[in-house]
Amino acid sequence: MAHVKLHIPGPVEVSEKTFKALCSPMIGHRGQGFKDLYAKIQPQLQQLLSTKQLVYLSTSSAWGVMEGAIRNLVSKKVLNCMCGAFSDKWFDVSKKCGKQADALQVEWGSPIRGEAIDKKLATGEFDALTIIHNETSTGVMSPLDEIAALKKKYPDVMFIVDAVSSMTAVPLKFDELGIDVLLAGTQKAFALPPGAAVFACSKAALAKAATIKDRGYYFDFAEFQKNAEQSMTPSTPSIPHIYALSSKLDEFFAEGLENRYARHKKTNQMTRDWATKHGFTLYADKGFESVTLTCVNNGAKPGGRTVDVAKLQKLTKDQGFLIDGGYGKIKGTTFRVSNMGDETEATMGQLFAAMDKAMGQL
Ligand SMILES: *Cc1c(COP(=O)(O)O)cnc(C)c1O
């Protein structure tokens, strides 16, 4: 069957080169070969996240680390900042971990703002908060600088940040932001297959984790730190993913991180322009649009044009490209187009030519 190229916001298209790297010969995870591999990518990951902390490799999808952060860092009560499907679910996950949790819910399409968090944290009830930097379901990027600035006022609150669909596409300066956990899965802007996650923890997060009794084993942050100090992981990792990550990191630095960020901005602007050209509006509030994907409004909010999304999707797919038909409660009343990973102006141009043709056939 002919491959349909992925332009859904994860998993995204994986290159032939990356697949080749995944197929590197297997090695043992306690041997020197593995330690050398991890030691080679560690400084690259640290540079990517602008951190002196060790960056950990988790063999799980992002949710493993998202749940792990709750189990490692919440003793009193967690504030789950919610503005879309993924961030809303984190509240449920907190409760399923048996933690006290409170919701800071804003309307889908809007970002989380510092002021609202400040009001909640001022009650003194919380020792942790979760926030999704780039809410993939709504195409909204919340202002991380503004939110992270609150950490100074609330040093004892653990700031847990999901950057699943923004990491590698925008600068994320972990140490400078002063946040406590920053995590991402590999199948979004890294353009690797699903099944692995990377994350960093602050010294304060590691100290806090050490005080928590029931943090489990598989996602125990203390275990990750102890093993990373020896260029190892707590349990047997997906070594193919780590080979592929190494290949990908080499690509990032060959392109240059600034160029990579600029490329995402440009290809995202092309997507917004495509939507505008066809009479659509965007679902995200103005000024808070994601740069890795675009959530096009198709009746979820007033304004703009509406089309039969299933039909648009099918007509686009028939030409070899898969776009997303909307997520959760805004399925069909929005649709999403991803520009994250390896996409260029040329490859996005090919997608838009197919989508133009599909629009003409609706
Ligand atoms: C995709 C995504 C997740 C979930 O990742 P899994 O790999 O399914 O665990 C979490 N947060 C955001 C923002 C995402 O885009």
Side-chain angles (χ1 to χ4, degrees), residues 9-11 60-66 85-87 89-90 131-137 162-166 183-188 194-197 293 327 336 340:
S60 66
S61 77
W63 272 114
V65 181
M66 291 164 79
F86 293 103
S87 46
K89 189 168 157 184
W90 220 344
I131 172 114
I132 290 191
H133 177 221
N134 192 57
E135 174 56 66
T136 316
S137 63
D162 162 326
V164 174
S165 58
S166 57
L183 69 103
T186 54
Q187 79 275 28
K188 306 278 169 84
L293 73 128
Y327 195 98
R336 298 179 302 165
M340 64 182 100

Side-chain angles (χ1 to χ4, degrees), residues 248-314:
K248 218 67 222 176
L249 285 163
D250 289 347
E251 281 179 32
F252 297 171
F253 289 103
E255 178 181 14
L257 294 181
E258 291 306 322
N259 293 335
R260 184 175 176 81
Y261 304 147
R263 176 165 60 77
H264 278 88
K265 218 170 177 177
K266 172 73 192 171
T267 51
N268 186 260
Q269 187 58 50
M270 289 171 75
T271 316
R272 295 184 202 180
D273 291 347
W274 180 90
T276 305
K277 181 180 97 177
H278 286 281
F280 293 106
T281 58
L282 301 189
Y283 187 64
D285 288 357
K286 212 165 175 44
F288 299 97
E289 302 92 341
S290 166
V291 298
T292 59
L293 73 128
T294 303
C295 186
V296 180
N297 179 38
N298 188 54
K301 273 184 171 180
R305 173 176 188 182
T306 60
V307 295
D308 181 339
V309 166
K311 210 165 164 193
L312 171 65
Q313 224 183 349
K314 162 113 189 15

Side-chain angles (χ1 to χ4, degrees), residues 68-358:
I70 299 292
R71 294 195 60 186
N72 275 264
L73 299 177
V74 180
S75 56
K76 237 157 64 180
K77 192 176 190 181
V78 58
L79 178 66
N80 299 113
C81 302
M82 296 152 62
C83 63
F86 293 103
S87 46
D88 288 8
K89 189 168 157 184
W90 220 344
F91 180 53
D92 295 333
V93 170
S94 300
K95 288 184 289 186
K96 282 180 180 175
C97 289
K99 303 292 185 180
Q100 296 286 323
D102 195 5
L104 168 58
Q105 178 86 66
V106 306
E107 217 177 306
W108 282 30
S110 296
I112 303 289
R113 300 302 303 264
E115 203 181 313
I117 295 179
D118 193 7
K119 259 196 204 128
K120 284 280 194 182
L121 294 187
T123 63
E125 287 174 40
F126 302 98
D127 65 344
L129 72 83
T130 67
I131 172 114
I132 290 191
H133 177 221
N134 192 57
E135 174 56 66
T136 316
S137 63
T138 59
V140 169
M141 198 171 260
S142 288
L144 192 53
D145 290 352
E146 174 186 301
I147 293 161
L150 288 167
K151 175 73 190 177
K152 283 201 182 72
K153 198 167 165 189
Y154 303 101
D156 296 334
V157 176
M158 294 287 115
F159 279 47
I160 304 164
V161 180
D162 162 326
V164 174
S165 58
S166 57
M167 192 183 286
T168 84
V170 297
L172 289 167
K173 302 194 174 196
F174 183 68
D175 292 354
E176 209 175 294
L177 285 166
I179 54 177
D180 295 290
V181 179
L182 184 65
L183 69 103
T186 54
Q187 79 275 28
K188 306 278 169 84
F190 277 94
L192 292 168
V198 302
F199 68 110
C201 289
S202 67
K203 287 195 176 81
L206 291 169
K208 176 82 187 269
T211 69
I212 307 265
K213 293 271 178 305
D214 51 1
R215 56 187 195 269
Y217 167 69
Y218 196 72
F219 295 107
D220 178 357
F221 290 178
E223 285 285 340
F224 274 94
Q225 173 63 24
K226 196 177 78 188
N227 278 278
E229 284 169 7
Q230 310 293 323
S231 297
M232 288 192 294
T233 52
S235 52
T236 319
S238 174
I239 295 169
H241 272 98
I242 301 172
Y243 275 124
L245 177 59
S246 171
S247 162
K248 218 67 222 176
L249 285 163
D250 289 347
E251 281 179 32
F252 297 171
F253 289 103
E255 178 181 14
L257 294 181
E258 291 306 322
N259 293 335
R260 184 175 176 81
Y261 304 147
R263 176 165 60 77
H264 278 88
K265 218 170 177 177
K266 172 73 192 171
T267 51
N268 186 260
Q269 187 58 50
M270 289 171 75
T271 316
R272 295 184 202 180
D273 291 347
W274 180 90
T276 305
K277 181 180 97 177
H278 286 281
F280 293 106
T281 58
L282 301 189
Y283 187 64
D285 288 357
K286 212 165 175 44
F288 299 97
E289 302 92 341
S290 166
V291 298
T292 59
L293 73 128
T294 303
C295 186
V296 180
N297 179 38
N298 188 54
K301 273 184 171 180
R305 173 176 188 182
T306 60
V307 295
D308 181 339
V309 166
K311 210 165 164 193
L312 171 65
Q313 224 183 349
K314 162 113 189 15
L315 290 166
T316 307
K317 190 176 172 188
D318 289 346
Q319 300 173 76
F321 301 93
L322 188 66
I323 60 168
D324 174 88
Y327 195 98
K329 68 182 183 193
I330 51 172
K331 185 178 163 73
T333 57
T334 59
F335 60 92
R336 298 179 302 165
V337 177
S338 165
N339 61 289
M340 64 182 100
D342 298 337
E343 302 308 333
T344 62
E345 289 177 52
T347 64
M348 293 305 289
Q350 288 160 4
L351 170 70
F352 298 133
M355 289 175 72
D356 281 343
K357 197 166 159 202

